[in-house]
């Protein structure tokens, strides 16, 4: 991305193994993330930035210390590099790894090939070469599924719980899927787009709320005996959506926030009076990858449906445009 | 409090039973809270406000529906009125009760007598009439101990954990006591006042950090192998202390915030990148009261040491002044 709104596909040198813990992969598929729209819209800076952080592909070469993946393996990787051995990783927070690095901006997986540092700690091999129709779902695991899943886990979605999801983008839809898989009793999706409402229902939403802001909060309270939801996932990242999520969570309830809230300031005293749990940040996708890959492999979940546009990598600019204009939920790119 | 800085002791009508769930108590002791200093200093509005929300005393009369306390009982009450029967109360979040009301401003327990609504849900009777020397400790349970305890529980203090406490006021000191009781391995108190450092060590602090802000965060990282503390309690409520607490918590760690953060705006993106758990708000003291009363009764904890000034109620104005000028940690008032 040369600058906001200006995405170009250009030739770069092929990546090579630098560290013995590196792997070089050839990408089978990649995609555009909702968070890529922040720099696209000029909210985050962009200056010849390497874009893309979601990826699946085939390992071409590994460094001498890599043990868990080898050339020829089909792999899914997290959008955050992690060693998966440090104390933070072992506690399940790989996105806070002492060696953490964000793929976005540093590697850029909207590309044909990529060098992945700490391959053992970042990549997970699938049980075999996947069927073609599983590719979108495996790609989703790399971020949107992993992120939505984390949002639902952070919100403590589970049996007997009412879960509300703020945001009907790919991550929000994946949080609906996760809440369903985690056994939630009732899943409220907040959406005013008919197509996305349909997909939310497909993934397990039991109720749809079209209202936003205070009206949306009031509606959730109405549906929950005046108390608010046990679990709320914030999957947008604006001030309005954040306050909506805080307001919709009952006292003592859990709010998971996974929307990139680039410029949001949370009024501490309102949060204080709400008396809720909050957990969020870049999702520790690596924690969930083995489980998510297996669920996809066994065809128990099909997160790949969030991709409603597929283009060759060369047309990346159009993919950004379609998502920016909300013509597409999420665009898959084929290198 | 007529207005900021102007505290007066004036005659009011004796309280009477209004609702069948009320109790009227005669206060044995009450005190001034750190949060009372917000209106005193003009940060919160004050206009002939009824002050005081911490209290112990003897029940004089109960309404017809009160079952768990009776005339003559010595009781400790929470600073938040709760029915202790609604779904929120039963989940342990009595400070978010559907009938919640704050004692501060509405009842005002810096007084000789008080009407306590929802007596069954708000008050807990002690096992008998307490020895005189237990009064300060029982009074502490009403708020500062219960609040510090909640901060430590919210921060998930426990065996094997390093707990950092931001704030050396009464609540911070009580969080140190709580972390110790909850079995924390290492307890870091952030304080630059020799007297408070001494008390923090008495209550179980293993380390003292005098630095504040970024320097304080750096020091905590230095003491924790670069990772940050597992558990951090924020017990001040300023922007600086809040950011210090967020920064001192390791990724995936827990921050309990109990300082009244009246005018703090938390930068969402910094919180996002920190990747931590946050829980806080007005403490559900009622959840902890039975346990805390027993610990005090059995002389296993002595939270009453935080009161380093005792005055007759008539001298309330001097009590405020002493705390405002930091000449006293916490002032006990005898009606």
């Amino acid at each position: 991305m040369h600058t906001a709104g200006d995405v170009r596909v250009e030739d770069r040198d092929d990546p090579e193994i630098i560290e013995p813990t590196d792997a070089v992969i050839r990408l089978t598929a990649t995609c555009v993330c909702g968070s890529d729209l922040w720099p696209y819209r000029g909210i985050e800076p962009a200056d010849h930035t390497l874009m893309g952080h979601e990826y699946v592909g085939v390992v071409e070469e590994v460094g001498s210390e890599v043990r868990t993946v080898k050339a020829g393996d089909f792999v899914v990787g997290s959008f955050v590099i992690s060693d998966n051995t440090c104390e933070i990783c072992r506690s399940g927070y790989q996105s806070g790894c002492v060696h953490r690095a964000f793929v976005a901006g540093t590697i850029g997986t909207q590309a044909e090939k990529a060098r992945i540092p700490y391959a053992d700690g970042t990549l997970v091999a699938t049980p075999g070469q996947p069927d073609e129709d599983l590719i979108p779902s495996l790609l989703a695991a790399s971020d949107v599924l992993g992120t939505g899943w984390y949002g639902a886990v952070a919100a403590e979605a589970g049996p007997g719980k009412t879960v509300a999801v703020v945001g009907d983008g790919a991550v929000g839809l994946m949080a609906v899927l996760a809440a369903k898989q985690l056994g939630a009793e009732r899943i409220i999706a907040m959406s005013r787009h008919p197509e996305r409402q349909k997909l939310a229902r497909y993934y397990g939403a039991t109720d749809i709320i079209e209202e936003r802001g205070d009206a949306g909060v009031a509606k959730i309270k109405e549906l929950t005996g005046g108390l608010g939801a046990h679990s709320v996932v914030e999957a947008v990242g604006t001030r309005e959506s954040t306050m909506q999520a805080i307001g919709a969570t009952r006292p003592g309830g859990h709010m998971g926030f996974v929307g990139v809230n680039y410029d949001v300031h949370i009024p501490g005293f309102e949060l204080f009076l709400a008396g809720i749990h909050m957990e969020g940040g870049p999702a520790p996708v690596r924690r969930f990858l083995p489980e998510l890959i297996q669920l996809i492999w066994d065809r128990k979940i099909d997160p790949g449906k969030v991709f409603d546009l597929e283009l060759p990598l060369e047309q990346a600019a159009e993919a950004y445009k379609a998502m920016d204009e909300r013509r597409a939920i999420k665009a898959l790119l084929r290198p």
Side-chain angles (χ1 to χ4, degrees), chain A:
Chain A
M1 188 177 293
H2 281 234
T3 183
D6 183 8
V7 174
R8 305 187 200 173
V9 179
E10 294 176 354
D11 280 331
R12 291 163 57 200
D13 290 340
D14 273 349
E16 291 176 1
I17 300 290
I18 298 173
E19 301 291 335
T21 46
D22 288 348
V24 169
I25 64 170
R26 174 175 290 277
L27 280 96
T28 304
T30 181
C31 52
V32 181
C33 182
S35 67
D36 292 333
L37 298 180
W38 294 129
Y40 188 79
R41 292 170 177 165
I43 296 165
E44 270 182 74
D47 178 11
H48 298 78
T49 309
L50 301 175
M51 299 301 295
H53 53 268
E54 299 157 285
Y55 54 104
V56 291
V58 177
V59 176
E60 288 214 325
E61 193 186 351
V62 298
S64 60
E65 290 178 16
V66 174
R67 296 282 170 271
T68 62
V69 298
K70 58 182 188 305
D73 281 355
F74 192 92
V75 292
V76 186
S78 164
F79 70 96
V80 184
I81 304 298
S82 61
D83 62 26
N84 210 27
T85 57
C86 77
E87 197 173 327
I88 302 298
C89 282
R90 280 182 284 130
S91 75
Y93 286 86
Q94 287 88 343
S95 44
C97 173
V98 298
H99 292 117
R100 108 165 151 190
F102 289 100
V103 172
T106 62
I107 297 172
T109 54
Q110 288 163 7
E112 292 173 337
K113 291 188 179 189
R115 179 181 75 89
I116 306 295
Y118 292 98
D120 280 336
T122 306
L123 303 173
V124 178
T126 55
Q129 296 300 316
D131 291 341
E132 177 56 34
D133 69 319
L134 290 184
I135 301 288
S137 287
L138 291 168
L139 176 61
S142 181
D143 180 354
V144 281
L145 172 60
T147 295
W149 194 275
Y150 171 58
V153 168
E156 300 211 345
K161 298 281 186 75
T162 294
V163 180
V165 177
V166 182
D168 62 2
V171 171
L173 292 167
M174 294 296 90
V176 170
L177 175 155
K180 172 80 176 169
Q181 283 290 314
L182 293 165
E185 186 174 300
R186 191 172 191 180
I187 303 169
I188 305 168
M190 311 197 81
S191 171
R192 47 177 63 172
H193 299 82
E195 282 306 305
R196 293 169 187 227
Q197 290 177 0
K198 218 163 76 182
L199 209 44
R201 286 205 187 271
Y202 172 81
Y203 281 132
T206 54
D207 302 82
I208 304 279
I209 291 183
E210 299 207 344
E211 289 83 351
R212 286 189 188 169
D214 289 346
V217 169
K219 199 81 190 176
I220 289 205
K221 292 218 167 146
E222 194 185 311
L223 290 177
T224 55
L227 302 180
H230 300 95
S231 304
V232 178
V233 181
E234 197 293 313
V236 182
T238 62
R239 186 189 152 85
E240 184 185 37
S241 64
T242 301
M243 295 319 295
Q244 192 171 322
I246 291 171
T249 309
R250 67 175 56 192
H254 291 77
M255 173 194 157
F257 63 104
V258 289
V260 180
N261 52 359
Y262 197 70
D263 207 21
V264 175
H265 284 70
I266 302 165
F269 194 58
E270 278 186 56
L271 183 62
F272 185 86
L273 289 178
I276 65 171
H277 301 76
M278 271 179 83
E279 179 190 346
V285 170
R286 184 61 178 78
R287 189 205 311 177
F288 307 113
L289 272 183
E291 180 184 0
L292 298 179
I293 289 173
Q294 199 60 52
L295 285 169
I296 293 165
W297 204 261
D298 297 339
R299 295 178 186 276
K300 289 186 178 154
I301 57 175
D302 57 351
K305 272 194 191 297
V306 292
F307 294 103
D308 54 354
L309 177 65
E310 182 172 329
L311 293 169
L313 178 59
E314 292 72 43
Q315 294 179 35
E318 166 54 21
Y320 275 82
K321 201 156 181 287
M323 281 180 62
D324 180 44
E325 293 168 1
R326 301 206 78 174
R327 284 185 279 118
I329 297 175
K330 195 165 176 71
L332 185 145
L333 297 170
R334 293 278 184 174

